[in-house]
Amino acid sequence: MKYFFICVLLFPFTTYGQFNQIHQRLSFADYLFCSRDYLRAAEEFDKILPEIHNDTIFIKIGLSYYNIKDYPNSIKYFSMVKDEPDLSSYANEKIMVSYFLNKEYKLIKFYNPTSRGIMKLFNYSLLIRNYPPDKSIFLRPFDEEEKIEAQRFYNLKINPPTKSSTLAAIMSAIIPGAGKIYTNRISDGITSLIATSLLGYLTYTNYKADHKARTYIFAGLTGFFYAGNIYGSFLSAKVYNQKISEDFNLNLNIYLEGKNYFVTEPKFCK
Amino acid sequence: MRISFLIIFLFSGINLFAQTDYQRWEKKPYNLTKENLSVQREYKFTGDNAIDFVVTSGISLYWFFISDLDGANCPYEPSCSSFLVQSIKKTNPLTGTILFFDRFTRDMNLFDRDVNYTITKRGQLYDPPEHYIFN
């Protein structure tokens, strides 16, 4: 009887201790999250989930994985947010951004018609996928300020400043090195012109002097340098075009990162 | 008996983690030679076909008699001769040779090198044949 009485007295302390332990763990996870120690924060939050699970914790776990670029996991946790409408809309936006960053452009959809940020991101994803819509449709969700940049990116996609590889090859066939100069490799073009002309001149002088062996050697070398110059100009234009495409994607990503992918972040830390 | 056993038991733990003086602290033999990772040269005098045999043998002879004695002077990574071998392996003898002549022309150019190429840790210009092979 006495022991039973003691147990009854001590029971609240033990449960309170356990409760306190979970809340301490939550505080610690919050501290890790705010200290940007995202991997450990995600692990700590994950351990709390069986006891406490609410939308804020799901968002925080999702954000932790998002910040360490583990997009499949971030999508998984953002998808669990269901109850609070504000957080749910934010989580949906973050899911779409995660798809965008994970290069799963086809999965980007805007369920909520009021989410203009996702509409903007969707339009940019169409540019990256090489399916640009009509200009008026593309520019529709953007503000007046954003329209200038959006228009610039759109024009760069529709009319990229590329060079024709065939034209570069033809130019080099007519004047050695001209194709390389056309693709902005000016010094390479001049070197090519000098090398091919010099070898051609040596072939000519040796032919004039009736040195047959030297004529054959220099003629062979001239031919190879000439062919190398034509094919090199063709490839130089291809390399140039690839650089244009890569620069477009890089500049677009830098711009979107600066805009935080059109998502307004709630403040979870002081 | 008990006390002595206890003392031995306690001190055995200390002995286990005590400093091992029999392992002498001395300088390790050091090596000042620099490993040349870029030039993985395979000297071969064989080939799958006649052209491959001529090219591989010619390059091997060039490496053995000229390049190895002259030193690694090519500013590019891979070197021009390695570029020829690699480009022939990755394309075909004709395209590979034409690619090599284009590379050789670029090698003669002394200007804009740092603009057009990535510079490796060893200060060489990174320009492998993969940059010029498009499918």
Side-chain angles (χ1 to χ4, degrees):
Chain A
M1 186 62 197
K2 192 172 75 181
Y3 291 117
F4 176 74
F5 189 66
I6 290 165
C7 283
V8 168
L9 273 175
L10 285 176
F11 181 72
F13 289 105
T14 52
T15 47
Y16 178 74
Q18 202 181 2
F19 177 77
N20 203 26
Q21 197 187 359
I22 290 157
H23 276 262
Q24 274 178 356
R25 198 159 211 173
L26 182 62
S27 303
F28 180 55
D30 274 332
Y31 168 77
L32 290 172
F33 179 81
C34 292
S35 311
R36 298 181 178 189
D37 194 347
Y38 294 116
L39 184 61
R40 287 172 69 200
E43 283 172 1
E44 286 300 321
F45 279 125
D46 211 20
K47 282 170 191 167
I48 299 163
L49 274 184
E51 307 296 330
I52 309 170
H53 45 273
N54 57 40
D55 284 352
T56 312
I57 292 181
F58 290 139
I59 289 270
K60 281 182 179 175
I61 301 175
L63 276 175
S64 299
Y65 283 119
Y66 175 88
N67 284 317
I68 56 170
K69 295 182 171 56
D70 184 350
Y71 299 116
N73 265 327
S74 77
I75 291 164
K76 183 183 144 192
Y77 283 97
F78 283 134
S79 309
M80 290 177 185
V81 180
K82 293 235 161 44
D83 300 333
E84 291 181 43
D86 286 350
L87 286 180
S88 177
S89 134
Y90 169 72
N92 188 38
E93 285 178 358
K94 275 291 183 191
I95 290 169
M96 296 308 148
V97 177
S98 301
Y99 282 139
F100 185 87
L101 292 170
N102 211 24
K103 294 181 180 172
E104 293 175 286
Y105 303 117
K106 284 181 185 175
L107 298 170
I108 301 170
K109 288 168 190 133
F110 41 94
Y111 304 105
N112 185 357
T114 55
S115 174
R116 279 160 64 93
I118 298 304
M119 280 172 80
K120 291 171 195 173
L121 201 66
F122 176 77
N123 283 2
Y124 274 123
S125 75
L126 289 178
L127 285 194
I128 293 173
R129 287 171 62 197
N130 292 324
Y131 294 117
D134 191 60
K135 196 172 186 175
S136 58
I137 296 168
F138 177 78
L139 292 174
R140 199 176 290 161
F142 295 98
D143 309 330
E144 285 304 314
E145 278 180 25
E146 289 168 346
K147 258 183 192 163
I148 301 161
E149 277 297 299
Q151 208 158 359
R152 193 175 69 82
F153 280 117
Y154 186 84
N155 291 339
L156 272 174
K157 193 69 191 180
I158 299 292
N159 297 312
T162 50
K163 307 275 183 187
S164 162
S165 42
T166 316
L167 181 64
I170 292 168
M171 283 173 84
S172 277
I174 298 164
I175 305 166
K180 291 216 172 185
I181 293 170
Y182 165 67
T183 59
N184 280 4
R185 302 288 284 258
I186 297 163
S187 52
D188 278 346
I190 294 166
T191 315
S192 193
L193 178 67
I194 293 168
T196 318
S197 317
L198 204 66
L199 284 164
Y201 177 72
L202 284 170
T203 314
Y204 173 73
T205 49
N206 279 290
Y207 176 73
K208 275 275 183 189
D210 208 24
H211 294 304
K212 277 190 179 174
R214 284 189 224 166
T215 307
Y216 289 136
I217 291 165
F218 285 121
L221 281 173
T222 311
F224 272 117
F225 270 98
Y226 181 68
N229 138 69
I230 294 169
Y231 194 56
S233 299
F234 178 82
L235 293 175
S236 179
K238 287 212 165 207
V239 170
Y240 181 88
N241 293 345
Q242 197 174 354
K243 194 174 177 299
I244 291 285
S245 167
E246 282 170 11
D247 282 353
F248 174 82
N249 287 345
L250 187 73
N251 288 333
L252 181 59
N253 276 320
I254 291 169
Y255 169 72
L256 292 176
E257 204 177 329
K259 286 272 172 189
N260 198 31
Y261 302 93
F262 307 107
V263 177
T264 315
E265 296 286 340
K267 278 187 181 176
F268 288 111
C269 302
K270 283 177 189 173
Chain B
M1 181 63 194
R2 265 188 193 174
I3 292 165
S4 58
F5 177 76
L6 196 69
I7 289 165
I8 290 165
F9 180 75
L10 277 171
F11 276 89
S12 65
I14 294 166
N15 285 331
L16 275 173
F17 296 98
Q19 189 182 348
T20 49
D21 282 337
Y22 55 87
Q23 281 184 355
R24 291 176 63 191
W25 290 12
E26 58 187 14
K27 275 194 287 184
K28 282 186 176 176
Y30 51 85
N31 187 7
L32 289 176
T33 54
K34 207 173 175 182
E35 195 183 1
N36 194 349
L37 295 168
S38 66
V39 189
Q40 300 282 345
R41 286 176 172 170
E42 291 176 47
Y43 302 93
K44 279 199 301 187
F45 294 94
T46 54
D48 299 332
N49 51 53
I51 296 168
D52 191 29
F53 171 72
V54 171
V55 171
T56 317
S57 309
I59 291 286
S60 296
L61 285 171
Y62 164 73
W63 282 342
F64 190 77
F65 286 111
I66 301 168
S67 184
D68 286 355
L69 303 175
D70 191 33
N73 295 320
C74 186
Y76 286 90
E77 156 79 47
S79 67
C80 288
S81 52
S82 302
F83 185 93
L84 174 61
V85 176
Q86 287 180 24
S87 55
I88 285 176
K89 270 183 191 168
K90 278 163 191 166
T91 56
N92 57 60
L94 184 68
T95 315
T97 312
I98 289 171
L99 276 173
F100 163 74
F101 274 93
D102 178 46
R103 153 65 98 82
F104 203 64
T105 314
R106 284 183 281 115
D107 189 15
M108 285 189 277
N109 174 23
L110 300 173
F111 304 98
D112 298 334
R113 285 178 161 181
D114 53 340
V115 179
N116 294 327
Y117 307 100
T118 311
I119 296 170
T120 63
K121 275 184 182 174
R122 299 175 71 233
Q124 287 178 305
L125 309 163
Y126 186 62
D127 186 48
E130 286 85 359
H131 285 186
Y132 303 96
I133 298 167
F134 293 89
N135 293 316

